[in-house]
Amino acid sequence: MKTKLVKMDALKEAGEIIRAGGLVAFPTETVYGLGADAMNSEAAAKIYAAKGRPSDNPLIVHIADMEQVDLVAENVPDQARKIMEAFWPGPLTVILNKKETVPDGTTGGLKTVAVRMPSHPGARALIRESRRVIAAPSANTSGRPSPTTAGHVMEDMNGKIPMILDGGPVGIGIESTIVDMTGEVPMILRPGYITKAMLESVIGTVQIDPAVSGRTMPEHVVAKAPGMKYRHYAPKGKLILVEGEPDKVIAEINRRAQEKEQEGFRVGIIGTDESIGQYCTGIRRSIGSREHPDSVAANLYSILRECDTLALDYIYSESFFEKGLGNAIMNRMLKAAGYHLITV
Ligand code: TXA
Ligand code: MG
């Protein structure tokens, strides 16, 4: 199959592909998504095939208007309505009880459905143009970092899907916050740009699934979002995170990097705008500024992809505070590092 990489003005044709049961990759404010008609089981099945994704890992249904919630969900709690009003359109996915009509192929056989209204105007325009609700996971090959540019999608999906809509680099760079609203207490299943504190300011107490908030490999807890149990976001080289006092972290990374270089390995270092000048070896990249955690989130996945392009064997990275957005950043980085974290 030939994959067309087109600008957002090709929306009409994109909508036709979705209606015909085909796949279109499109930008959202978080990461690029790989979309199909959510109510068409065969279309959803194509997503799993293109990504090489395990079929028990459910998809997020993307909507463009508030009324579409009731197409896919029922018994929607008042508290869920409140956070949808507060944070939609935006980087928040809400788990709700699913309507019978949503195929198992979309929800991986679950009785619940994940729903999100993206704020990216191109994403919403595509949903409206298609006159469908769109099931979309991140548009990467399963196990690779999520795509934040159309070029990343092309790397993974070329020849596998008919069309990629290029809306330029995404704004946020990490996937939406997922919150389960079907239990007693709202539960964050995946941390993201919308933080626990932001949710709590609207609906009171919210918990974080212990499987996604720890700094060590969750052994005795099973992640409640099926997708969070798979190895994710991982570069091919070995990623090692170092945390502690800034000066000690820099010294430790320099020491370890030099050691590996002397052994003949290709070594990369991920620092920040504030620290990058103090590293003295390896291929060095700044992931952004500590003053602006948004910039760190925005660059994270493209840097992890670049580690593969550069065929690095070892990558040493600084780690990030775990408050607010830092919690979401560290969740992704720890997974990418297989929880390899050194404290100095
Ligand atoms: O920002 C995002 O959410 C992006 C863009 C494209 O919207 N999408 C995304 O989709 O990250 P994906 O498939 O890569 O991640 C969806 C996550 C998976 O971990 C999946 O297991 C979880 O959502 N999920 C989906 N439906 C669920 C459900 N009913 N219950 C619990 N977790 C669910
Ligand atoms: Mg994904």
Side-chain angles (χ1 to χ4, degrees):
M1 182 184 302
K2 183 145 172 38
T3 302
K4 272 197 215 174
L5 179 60
V6 293
K7 297 285 174 214
M8 295 307 297
D9 54 15
L11 273 178
K12 200 167 180 312
E13 190 186 345
E16 282 163 12
I17 295 174
I18 298 284
R19 274 198 300 285
L23 303 186
V24 175
F26 62 99
T28 82
E29 70 278 20
T30 56
V31 300
Y32 272 74
L34 180 58
D37 178 355
M39 303 307 250
N40 176 342
S41 225
E42 279 163 42
K46 290 182 191 166
I47 291 178
Y48 291 95
K51 278 180 66 84
R53 175 176 174 125
S55 61
D56 66 340
N57 189 1
L59 307 172
I60 296 174
V61 178
H62 293 67
I63 62 174
D65 298 288
M66 210 45 105
E67 302 80 68
Q68 290 177 316
V69 172
D70 302 300
L71 283 177
V72 295
E74 58 189 20
N75 303 324
V76 178
D78 285 345
Q79 292 222 322
R81 299 260 182 217
K82 280 191 195 147
I83 54 173
M84 295 188 275
E85 294 285 345
F87 301 109
W88 280 359
L92 177 71
T93 295
V94 182
I95 307 292
L96 300 166
N97 291 307
K98 93 170 180 79
K99 272 228 161 102
E100 195 91 49
T101 43
V102 182
D104 282 344
T106 296
T107 62
L110 295 177
K111 292 273 169 284
T112 54
V113 61
V115 190
R116 157 160 137 79
M117 189 195 293
S119 63
H120 194 290
R124 287 222 305 290
L126 172 66
I127 299 164
R128 292 202 175 114
E129 180 67 46
S130 71
R131 305 194 296 276
R132 296 292 182 274
V133 289
I134 296 187
S138 47
N140 52 293
T141 300
S142 206
R144 292 211 73 204
S146 294
T148 54
T149 66
H152 294 162
V153 181
M154 199 65 178
E155 280 173 23
D156 288 10
M157 294 297 151
N158 192 12
K160 296 181 178 161
I161 63 174
M163 182 181 277
I164 300 169
L165 288 172
D166 184 354
V170 301
I172 293 177
I174 53 178
E175 306 85 346
S176 61
T177 304
I178 302 180
V179 59
D180 184 354
M181 298 303 290
T182 65
E184 288 275 294
V185 182
M187 175 83 77
I188 294 175
L189 307 187
R190 179 174 71 184
Y193 189 83
I194 305 291
T195 61
K196 180 173 185 276
M198 288 161 80
L199 291 167
E200 287 187 329
S201 73
V202 179
I203 52 168
T205 307
V206 171
Q207 289 176 348
I208 304 189
D209 181 0
V212 299
S213 59
R215 331 175 91 221
T216 51
M217 181 95 69
E219 276 179 56
H220 305 292
V221 280
V222 177
K224 294 189 177 63
M228 298 302 278
K229 71 174 183 257
Y230 298 106
R231 187 162 180 265
H232 244 174
Y233 321 118
K236 292 181 188 115
K238 208 166 165 45
L239 173 64
I240 295 135
L241 309 179
V242 183
E243 66 157 6
E245 298 245 328
D247 289 348
K248 287 189 186 157
V249 168
I250 293 164
E252 181 70 12
I253 290 180
N254 274 328
R255 189 184 67 74
R256 285 178 182 257
Q258 271 163 347
E259 200 176 274
K260 285 296 171 199
E261 282 208 320
Q262 273 154 20
E263 289 170 26
F265 293 109
R266 288 174 65 82
V267 177
I269 292 178
I270 303 176
T272 56
D273 293 353
E274 290 82 3
S275 67
I276 199 71
Q278 297 174 68
Y279 292 105
C280 54
T281 188
I283 296 175
R284 284 153 269 177
R285 292 288 181 270
S286 169
I287 193 169
S289 165
R290 280 192 184 272
E291 307 267 302
H292 304 287
D294 292 23
S295 64
V296 176
N299 293 323
L300 174 62
Y301 287 142
S302 59
I303 288 201
L304 291 182
R305 278 183 180 255
E306 200 189 351
C307 291
D308 286 350
T309 314
L310 294 167
L312 299 177
D313 301 306
Y314 286 89
I315 307 122
Y316 296 95
S317 176
E318 296 179 16
S319 57
F320 296 86
F321 43 88
E322 283 157 86
K323 283 212 188 84
L325 185 55
N327 191 357
I329 295 168
M330 273 310 267
N331 168 261
R332 308 315 193 268
M333 289 191 99
L334 280 163
K335 289 181 93 184
Y339 291 86
H340 197 151
L341 175 69
I342 293 164
T343 305
V344 289

